[in-house]
Amino acid sequence: AGTKLMGIGQFHMFYIFALFSVFINNRSLYQSFGFHKEFPIIIGFLLFSDALSPMDTVVKLLMNILSRTFEFQADAFAVKLGYSTDLAKSLIKLQIQNLSTMDADWM
């Protein structure tokens, strides 16, 4: 599970850098915002971050869903091995230390 998440994370970073490279070298984009003779990289970076934000939100949501799926699988595996009591105690201890709530959000 950890290897899958790491691989997906690496692909995500590669995707962002590749997209940034294409985005930052797009002269028509700069010209659309009034930069005809100069192409300041900071402007390209700001435009890129504005464009990336909505797409990245979707990717982060999918990564969180996958991570939670792996967590539930790990918990089910521990219960299957007979460690349900130990798992319950450790999860309660973690919750108390993190000051979180017992009522999990349905989402």
Side-chain angles (χ1 to χ4, degrees), residues 47-86:
L47 294 173
F48 175 73
S49 68
D50 286 344
L52 180 69
S53 184
M55 292 184 292
D56 205 35
T57 301
V58 172
V59 171
K60 286 179 183 178
L61 174 67
L62 295 175
M63 292 282 284
N64 284 339
I65 290 171
L66 185 62
S67 177
R68 295 284 291 191
T69 301
F70 290 153
E71 287 176 16
F72 285 123
Q73 288 175 353
D75 291 346
F77 183 72
V79 169
K80 181 180 170 185
L81 291 178
Y83 294 110
S84 59
T85 305
D86 294 332

Side-chain angles (χ1 to χ4, degrees), residues 22-104:
V22 170
F23 201 89
I24 206 72
N25 294 318
N26 187 345
R27 301 295 183 215
S28 64
L29 176 73
Y30 286 101
Q31 291 170 353
S32 297
F33 286 91
F35 295 95
H36 298 285
K37 295 182 182 176
E38 293 181 350
F39 306 106
I41 193 152
I42 189 69
I43 299 298
F45 181 73
L46 291 172
L47 294 173
F48 175 73
S49 68
D50 286 344
L52 180 69
S53 184
M55 292 184 292
D56 205 35
T57 301
V58 172
V59 171
K60 286 179 183 178
L61 174 67
L62 295 175
M63 292 282 284
N64 284 339
I65 290 171
L66 185 62
S67 177
R68 295 284 291 191
T69 301
F70 290 153
E71 287 176 16
F72 285 123
Q73 288 175 353
D75 291 346
F77 183 72
V79 169
K80 181 180 170 185
L81 291 178
Y83 294 110
S84 59
T85 305
D86 294 332
L87 176 65
K89 287 179 185 177
S90 63
L91 289 175
I92 290 172
K93 186 176 180 179
L94 277 173
Q95 181 218 353
I96 291 169
Q97 288 176 351
N98 292 334
L99 301 174
S100 61
T101 180
M102 285 292 266
D103 298 325

